Amino acid sequence: MIKKIDHQLMGRFHNSWLNTYYHFSFGDYYDAEKMHYGMLRVVNDDTIQPLSRFDLHSHKNMEILTYVVQGECTHRDNEREQTLKRGMMQLMSAGTGIAHSEVNMQDSLLRMIQIWIYPNELDLTPDYQLAALPWHERYNRWLLIASQRDEVPLHLHQDMNIFACELSDAAEIELKVMPLRQVYLVVLEGRVRIEDMLFDAHDGAEIDESTRLKAASWAHVLMFEMAKL
């Protein structure tokens, strides 16, 4: 099965400094049919105005990831201040508790994907990881950024693999789904075709069978591959 999640039908939040598409229930947006997908709990597609911020806030017992699509995000917590640029991903294993803020210090827009994943163990010691990988490594191929495997840039406390890919115009790539596994796909930029369906930027897809992606134009996507519940 391949199910299109149209961004025009997603939950939305918009104010003077933040514009968000909610792939799953979050904050004041609630849909009992959209609480999670496997162990993937939150995918928020945030666009933040210049010189704006998420003020200091806390998390507990969740894997919190941020992937920057456009601009720069400055992360601050009680131990560090680091800036994420396009294509970089950070992971906070919140465990027993962690507090941080995210700031757009630039005069241009910041767009980032906020991701929450249920961990496979509670009350872990909080941990922070950052992956800055060469952009070309995701060109027409799946670049593995985060996983529970030891050899990957970001180590998740969950049976999930997160990939990024940039597809050139009309390029195709296989999306393989093994038995008892499933995929959630997010189209970050551009457009892709999956079988007879066209997916625009901000769209999502639930996929539980092997298929192929074809760029309808240049495209940039994130893939979350995980065990079925």
Side-chain angles (χ1 to χ4, degrees):
M1 182 192 75
I2 300 171
K3 179 181 178 182
K4 179 177 178 178
I5 311 298
D6 191 327
H7 72 277
Q8 298 183 69
L9 303 177
M10 289 179 182
R12 295 296 307 275
F13 178 84
H14 182 75
N15 64 11
S16 61
W17 65 272
L18 176 65
N19 185 12
T20 299
Y21 293 93
Y22 294 134
H23 286 248
F24 305 104
S25 294
F26 188 88
D28 292 334
Y29 166 62
Y30 175 79
D31 184 336
E33 300 299 317
K34 296 181 180 179
M35 294 303 300
H36 63 94
Y37 184 74
M39 288 297 178
L40 185 61
R41 172 60 187 90
V42 165
V43 175
N44 290 350
D45 189 335
D46 294 328
T47 298
I48 300 169
Q49 292 294 316
L51 307 176
S52 300
R53 71 182 65 213
F54 286 104
D55 288 326
L56 187 70
H57 57 285
S58 60
H59 301 283
K60 185 177 181 181
N61 286 324
M62 195 71 71
E63 302 286 273
I64 310 289
L65 298 106
T66 301
Y67 183 86
V68 174
V69 180
Q70 174 187 348
E72 297 184 3
C73 173
T74 298
H75 163 96
R76 294 172 177 164
D77 61 36
N78 59 353
E79 295 184 2
R80 65 189 59 79
E81 177 175 316
Q82 291 186 306
T83 297
L84 286 74
K85 299 184 179 182
R86 176 172 167 81
M88 295 174 67
M89 179 177 273
Q90 74 171 14
L91 166 61
M92 293 185 300
S93 295
T96 55
I98 192 168
H100 75 124
S101 64
E102 292 157 311
V103 185
N104 181 7
M105 300 178 66
Q106 308 301 309
D107 292 325
S108 55
L109 292 174
L110 163 64
R111 183 173 166 222
M112 61 185 186
I113 309 301
Q114 299 270 24
I115 302 148
W116 295 11
I117 298 167
Y118 293 114
N120 56 18
E121 185 178 351
L122 298 180
D123 297 328
L124 294 163
T125 300
D127 185 36
Y128 177 90
Q129 303 169 55
L130 180 66
L133 302 170
W135 186 267
H136 71 269
E137 292 185 1
R138 73 202 81 195
Y139 187 67
N140 290 332
R141 64 185 290 266
W142 294 114
L143 173 63
L144 180 60
I145 302 177
S147 174
Q148 68 176 358
R149 306 176 200 173
D150 291 333
E151 70 274 14
V152 299
L154 301 179
H155 181 77
L156 285 172
H157 295 96
Q158 187 50 262
D159 181 12
M160 186 180 296
N161 301 297
I162 302 176
F163 300 84
C165 178
E166 177 196 4
L167 285 172
S168 56
D169 188 14
E172 292 190 36
I173 192 168
E174 182 180 17
L175 194 161
K176 181 175 286 188
V177 182
M178 302 300 290
L180 304 180
R181 309 288 291 183
Q182 60 187 4
V183 160
Y184 194 83
L185 185 80
V186 179
V187 182
L188 303 175
E189 300 173 286
R191 310 170 90 190
V192 299
R193 290 191 181 277
I194 306 176
E195 298 182 356
D196 61 348
M197 291 180 284
L198 181 64
F199 293 77
D200 291 309
H202 307 290
D203 286 347
E206 297 176 3
I207 303 171
D208 66 3
E209 62 188 54
S210 294
T211 187
R212 294 188 68 82
L213 268 64
K214 181 176 181 179
S217 64
W218 171 88
H220 178 199
V221 300
L222 272 183
M223 176 174 70
F224 304 87
E225 189 274 339
M226 70 199 87
K228 283 187 176 181
L229 292 181

